[in-house]
């Protein structure tokens, strides 16, 4: 019984061990790509379509042999069996090409394999490229060079293992290695590979970080490869981390350790000068060891090594005069000095040196540069005047007038500090009346007057002028006094009289009477020796307000002055007065007269707001602003009174400040436009009547007028055209009727010689207007427009404070043309002037009128009137003559009354407001 149990246990243990072994073997399979990097060697740089590159190793641990692959470089194709081929032509310009291959594992995660196609001249296996895995197995024998092996650190026995960094000695790799590649660097070993399968990998810059793929590691053997040559000047050190993991396990077999790879410098960079050509200067006659210029070169190789240790040398000198070794260079610093005396600019003005820089302490790589050395001039020649004495004549009172130009010569190099001359006046000008400067050619001294010369004080000046160079003289120059004499004669001229004060200020009332004295403004003649007479005249008087007495200089009022004129600024009026002598060529001096005008109450107040709107039901009062052109003390508080008919419908009073009129509608009236006349007084009682327009709307409270309908009707071009046509026809018919009546009777029927005026027809009905005409009082027209002396002045539109200023009518007839031209220009820009279609009122000629009656234009005969003479006035009158030449009254088909009625009916259809009826 015991034996049976022993057999059973033995079989169970055996099965368990087999199962465990199978499990371990199965667990050693890791799904994914078989390597971290796939390097494929090719023997040609030009890869054609269909070229077979190698096979991609991939497994999902299920035994499948075909998978789906993709490439991020469309020129390479990976088949399902893992074979990598060239899909489109590829040229390896840099000797290699990197790309990645992707696939998915069983969980749907994307796996990536970096691939590098590397051009190599070495052929293996009948020119077939080797994969990374194949190279590892091949090189494991005699091809593997002796490289150091790095072991992962061991934990101390009996102690608990802890994480720590293990710093190993850096690995050195020379730059510019020419291959073959991949180049073995070091092998990584773990002691655990004796009992289990260890997989090796590296991470860090140069591995899985940019530049990716520069270093690779065989996952099975731990060999670290370099895939291409290094450049120390780009990066001199790489730090990688080495990893060891147990196959089939997710845990690390060893702690990661750092691998430091130093790039060893080679002398692969020659020195480079900072300038391709150097330019320096050296004064002639310079002594030995005079430093003039320094050249400098740099080397990109490792500093403080022979590879970057530079030495300098002068290779040649052109020309080799007066000696082939005129210059020397410090081999370490590159400073160039004078080696021998004898530099002479007049013989050799420039030298060309060829300088070499070589590394390896002057024995390595070399480079050349040019050094251009210019021999500069020294001031060994003094300037000399071409003439030792000069004479000149200058008119008095002239400033900056050229007196004389003095030329010099110099033997030094032109246009250098040793050649450029500068001049000074050292004697004869105690009053600093003259100045001297150097001309643009640097060899000429120009003397000018700094102040106006006075003949009466000094008629002659003798100047002593010296010259020198901008640069100091060389010690070899024999110093002397280089001077010239200039004799200046002053010419007397007729000088203008000088006013006692350049600006004369006076204060006068603007109401100063005409011919009243303003001030006496006199001048004196500086030409005391001539004894000339001084007289006066007005040079500039913008408003033509002033006269000046020719003999005495007394200034009087020529025309009434006005403080509110646009020619007055800040109450000041400026005029220019001239004083002249009686010389054959009179000289005139000017003085400025500034009159401060004192204000008087000569401007009545006026209403600013000329049009306002108001409802005819429960109207809201409107405030109209009042202004006055006069100054403080002659303006507000104002007073207002309504005039005549305006009192029936309106009320007006001043506001609390006395500067605005509160106007209100008293009773309910029809909508329309109404004229409201008001008399406004200032604080001193000066007043005038102003008329404003009230637009009364059919509304309540706040005015809301139907502007849109009015604009629409007024803007209708057919309505405008119809009205203009009716007006033209009516005018022609009315003129024809008038001529007919005159032709038959010879006279015009008049009610009276003096009192007959046209009637203003008012129609309050929209129907046939001719049947309900009524006479309108003529006083309404004259109320606002008359200029009779017994009525207050009426202003149709008040002038604004900043508006244009009209000139009063001048008393001098010579100024009439300027007066008319000025006021026409002002009227063109005057926004407050009445419109062009303002109502004009013509009084009858009366018995005393000098103008003839209209009947005098026609024949006084009782016979039929002849109309042929009308043809002389143009085509329109010719048509009129043809219409009425026949004498048939029946041709007039529309009377003036009928025309008016038609016009009223047309207006009613398009706009029913009372203002257009």
């Amino acid at each position: 019984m015991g034996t049976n149990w022993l057999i059973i246990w033995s079989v169970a243990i055996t099965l368990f061990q087999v199962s465990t072994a199978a499990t371990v073997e199965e667990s050693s399979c890791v799904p994914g790509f078989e390597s971290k990097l796939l390097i494929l060697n090719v023997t040609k740089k030009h890869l054609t379509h269909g070229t077979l590159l190698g096979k991609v190793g991939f497994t999902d641990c299920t035994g499948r042999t075909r998978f789906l692959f993709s490439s991020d470089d469309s020129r390479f194709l990976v088949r399902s069996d893992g074979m990598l081929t060239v899909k489109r032509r590829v040229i390896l310009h840099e000797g290699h090409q990197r790309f990645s291959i992707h696939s998915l594992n069983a969980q749907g995660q994307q796996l990536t394999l970096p691939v590098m196609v590397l051009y190599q001249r070495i052929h293996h296996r009948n020119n077939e490229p080797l994969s990374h895995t194949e190279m590892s197995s091949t090189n494991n024998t005699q091809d593997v060079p002796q490289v150091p092996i790095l072991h992962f650190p061991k934990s101390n026995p009996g102690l608990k293992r802890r994480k720590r960094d293990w710093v190993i000695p850096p690995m050195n790799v020379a730059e510019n290695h020419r291959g073959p590649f991949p180049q073995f660097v070091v092998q990584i070993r773990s002691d655990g590979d004796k009992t289990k399968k260890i997989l090796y990998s590296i991470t860090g810059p140069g591995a899985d970080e940019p530049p990716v793929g520069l270093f690779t590691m065989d996952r099975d053997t731990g060999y670290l490869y370099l895939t291409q040559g290094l450049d120390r000047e780009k990066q001199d050190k790489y730090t990688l981390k080495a990893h060891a993991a147990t196959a089939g396990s997710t845990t690390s077999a060893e702690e990661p350790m750092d691998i430091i790879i130093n790039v060893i410098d080679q002398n692969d960079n020659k020195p480079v000068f900072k300038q391709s050509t150097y330019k320096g200067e050296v004064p002639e006659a310079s002594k030995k060891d005079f430093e003039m210029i320094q050249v400098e070169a740099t080397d990109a190789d490792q500093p403080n090594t022979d590879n970057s240790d530079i030495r300098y040398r002068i290779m040649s000198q052109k020309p080799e005069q007066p000696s082939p070794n005129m210059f020397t260079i410090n081999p370490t610093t590159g400073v160039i000095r004078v080696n021998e005396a004898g530099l002479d600019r007049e013989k050799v003005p420039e030298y060309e040196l060829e300088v070499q820089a070589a590394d390896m302490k002057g024995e390595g790589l070399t480079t050349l540069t040019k050094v251009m050395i210019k021999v500069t001039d020294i001031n060994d020649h003094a300037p000399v005047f071409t003439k030792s004495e000069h004479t000149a004549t200058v008119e008095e009172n002239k400033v900056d007038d050229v007196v004389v130009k003095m030329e010099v010569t110099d033997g030094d190099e032109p246009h250098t500090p040793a050649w450029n001359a500068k001049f000074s006046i050292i004697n004869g000008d105690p009053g600093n009346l003259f100045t001297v400067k150097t001309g643009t050619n640097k060899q000429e001294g120009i003397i000018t007057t700094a102040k106006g010369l006075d003949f009466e004080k000094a008629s002659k000046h003798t100047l002593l002028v010296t010259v020198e160079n901008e640069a100091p003289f060389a010690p070899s120059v024999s110093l002397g006094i280089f001077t010239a004499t200039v004799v200046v004669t002053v010419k007397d001229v007729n000088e203008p009289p000088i006013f006692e004060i350049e600006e004369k200020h006076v204060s006068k009332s603007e109401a100063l009477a005409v011919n009243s004295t303003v001030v006496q403004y006199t001048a004196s003649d500086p030409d005391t020796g001539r004894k000339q007479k001084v007289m006066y005249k007005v040079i500039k008087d913008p408003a033509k307000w002033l006269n000046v007495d020719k003999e005495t200089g007394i200034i009087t009022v020529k025309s009434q002055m006005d403080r509110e004129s646009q020619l007055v600024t800040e109450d000041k009026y400026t005029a220019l007065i001239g004083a002249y002598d009686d010389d054959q060529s009179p000289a005139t001096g000017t003085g400025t007269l500034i009159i401060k005008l004192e204000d008087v109450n000569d401007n009545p107040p006026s209403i600013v707001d000329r049009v306002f709107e108001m409802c005819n039901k429960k109207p809201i009062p409107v405030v109209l602003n009042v202004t006055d052109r006069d100054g403080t003390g002659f303006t507000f508080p104002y007073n207002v009174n309504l005039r005549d008919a305006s009192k029936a419908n309106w009320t007006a009073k001043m506001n609390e400040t006395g500067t605005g009129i509160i106007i209100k509608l008293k009773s309910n009236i029809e909508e329309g436009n109404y004229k409201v006349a008001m008399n406004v007084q200032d604080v001193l009682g000066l007043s005038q009547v102003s008329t404003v327009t009230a637009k009364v709307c059919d509304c309540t409270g706040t005015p809301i007028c139907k502007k849109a309908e009015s604009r629409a009707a007024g803007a209708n071009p057919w309505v405008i055209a119809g009205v203009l046509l009716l007006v033209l026809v009516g005018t022609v018919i009315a003129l024809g009727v008038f001529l007919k009546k005159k032709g038959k009777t010879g006279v015009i029927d008049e009610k009276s010689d003096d009192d007959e005026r046209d009637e203003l027809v008012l129609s309050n009905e929209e129907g046939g207007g001719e049947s309900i005409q009524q006479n309108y009082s003529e006083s309404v027209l004259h109320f606002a427009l008359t200029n009779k002396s017994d009525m207050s002045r009426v202003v149709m539109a008040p002038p604004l404070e900043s508006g244009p200023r009209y000139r009063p009518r001048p008393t001098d007839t010579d100024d009439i043309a300027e007066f008319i031209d000025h006021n026409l220009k002002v009227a063109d820009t005057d926004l407050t002037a009445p419109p062009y279609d303002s109502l004009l009122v013509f009084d009858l000629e009366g018995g005393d009128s000098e103008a003839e009656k209209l009947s005098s234009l026609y024949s006084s005969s009782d016979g039929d009137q002849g109309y042929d003479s009308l043809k002389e006035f143009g085509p329109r009158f010719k048509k009129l003559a043809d219409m009425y030449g026949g004498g048939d009254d029946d041709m007039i088909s529309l009377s003036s009354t009928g025309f008016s009625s038609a016009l009223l009916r047309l207006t009613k259809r398009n706009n029913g407001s009372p203002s257009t009826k």
Side-chain angles (χ1 to χ4, degrees), residues 219-255:
R219 63 184 296 183
D220 297 319
T221 63
Y223 285 122
L224 178 65
Y225 296 99
L226 175 65
T227 61
Q228 62 183 27
L230 301 179
D231 188 351
R232 190 204 66 84
E233 285 69 44
K234 292 183 179 179
Q235 187 167 344
D236 60 354
K237 183 174 68 173
Y238 295 88
T239 300
L240 305 174
K241 279 191 177 296
H243 306 271
T246 302
S249 175
T250 58
T251 61
S252 298
E254 303 285 352
E255 291 291 333

Side-chain angles (χ1 to χ4, degrees), residues 91-104:
I91 301 177
L92 303 178
H93 293 286
E94 298 181 358
H96 63 273
Q97 179 65 41
R98 290 187 175 93
F99 62 97
S100 296
I101 296 174
H102 310 282
S103 184
L104 298 178

Side-chain angles (χ1 to χ4, degrees), residues 135-183:
M135 286 190 294
S136 299
S137 60
T138 302
N139 292 331
N140 280 336
T141 59
Q142 69 273 13
D143 294 334
V144 180
Q146 296 298 322
V147 294
I149 300 176
L150 299 181
H151 291 272
F152 283 91
K154 300 178 181 179
S155 60
N156 293 330
L159 297 179
K160 183 178 181 181
R161 191 172 185 177
R162 57 185 178 85
K163 293 184 178 180
R164 63 191 180 278
D165 290 332
W166 181 42
V167 179
I168 64 174
M171 305 301 299
N172 295 326
V173 177
E175 66 172 335
N176 303 320
H177 182 67
R178 297 185 179 180
F181 292 100
Q183 175 188 356

Side-chain angles (χ1 to χ4, degrees), residues 316-624:
S316 65
Q317 169 193 312
K318 297 179 182 179
E320 297 181 349
Q321 298 175 359
S323 169
N325 299 311
M326 292 298 297
F327 305 96
T328 183
I329 188 170
N330 187 306
T332 304
T333 63
V335 175
I336 300 176
R337 298 183 177 90
V338 176
N339 190 43
E340 296 182 10
L343 293 173
D344 189 349
R345 184 197 65 83
E346 285 72 26
K347 293 181 179 180
V348 181
E350 188 176 56
Y351 289 91
E352 178 182 331
L353 305 180
E354 187 177 52
V355 178
Q356 171 189 281
D359 58 19
M360 301 294 290
K361 297 182 179 181
E363 302 299 329
L365 303 177
T366 63
T367 187
L368 297 174
T369 188
K370 288 184 179 181
V371 179
M372 308 300 296
I373 300 177
K374 180 181 180 182
V375 182
T376 60
D377 191 28
I378 62 174
N379 193 12
D380 54 356
H381 297 85
V384 179
F385 283 102
T386 56
K387 291 174 61 177
S388 61
E389 186 173 340
H390 299 78
T391 59
T393 300
V394 180
E395 293 184 355
E396 64 175 332
N397 301 320
K398 287 191 174 182
V399 181
D400 294 331
D401 191 30
V402 176
V403 178
V404 70
K405 295 182 179 180
M406 302 172 294
E407 294 183 356
V408 296
T409 59
D410 197 309
D412 291 316
E413 182 181 1
H415 306 294
T416 64
W419 183 82
N420 297 338
K422 58 181 182 179
F423 303 83
S424 302
I425 299 174
I426 60 175
N427 195 12
D429 186 23
N432 296 322
L433 300 176
F434 301 91
T435 183
V436 62
K437 61 182 179 181
T438 304
T440 56
N441 63 358
K442 299 298 183 178
Q443 289 283 284
E444 184 180 55
I446 304 173
I447 298 180
T448 58
T449 55
K451 302 176 183 177
L453 305 181
D454 192 346
F455 174 83
E456 285 71 28
K457 292 183 179 180
S459 61
K460 184 175 290 187
H461 301 269
T462 302
L463 309 177
L464 187 62
V465 183
T466 184
V467 63
E468 57 184 342
N469 293 123
E470 293 178 357
F473 292 117
S476 60
V477 177
S478 176
L479 297 178
I481 300 177
F482 309 102
T483 60
T485 302
V486 180
V487 178
V488 182
T489 301
V490 183
K491 181 180 179 181
D492 187 25
V493 296
N494 184 27
E495 299 174 82
I498 301 175
F499 278 92
E500 55 186 9
I501 301 176
E502 186 176 353
E503 284 189 359
K504 196 169 187 66
H505 294 259
V506 295
S507 180
K508 296 292 178 180
S509 171
E510 66 172 327
L512 188 64
V514 176
N515 297 325
S516 297
T517 299
V518 178
V519 71
Q520 186 175 15
Y521 197 12
T522 59
S524 59
D525 196 336
D527 291 319
T528 56
R530 299 194 178 198
K531 297 181 180 180
Q532 300 174 135
K533 182 180 179 181
V534 178
M535 293 168 288
Y536 305 91
K537 61 181 178 180
V538 177
I539 295 180
K540 184 178 180 182
D541 179 18
K544 308 297 182 183
W545 288 343
L546 304 175
N547 271 329
V548 62
D549 188 276
K550 179 180 179 182
E551 304 292 335
T552 64
I554 296 175
I555 300 172
T556 58
V557 178
K558 177 181 177 182
S559 60
Q560 189 65 55
M561 296 184 291
D562 184 9
R563 187 192 69 90
E564 291 73 35
S565 170
Q566 62 179 354
L567 301 175
V568 176
T569 304
E570 296 181 354
D571 299 342
K572 294 179 181 180
Y573 178 72
T574 302
L576 293 181
I577 308 300
Y580 60 98
D581 55 35
D582 58 354
D583 191 80
Q584 291 182 353
S585 299
T588 302
T590 58
T592 302
L593 175 63
I594 299 176
I595 305 174
K596 184 176 181 180
L597 294 175
E598 301 170 354
D599 192 22
V600 297
N601 191 24
D602 58 345
N603 290 280
S606 60
I607 299 175
V608 177
D609 311 295
R610 309 304 295 181
V611 179
F612 66 92
E613 295 180 351
M614 185 171 290
C615 289
N616 58 3
K617 302 180 186 69
K618 295 182 180 181
I620 297 175
V622 175
V623 178
L624 306 178

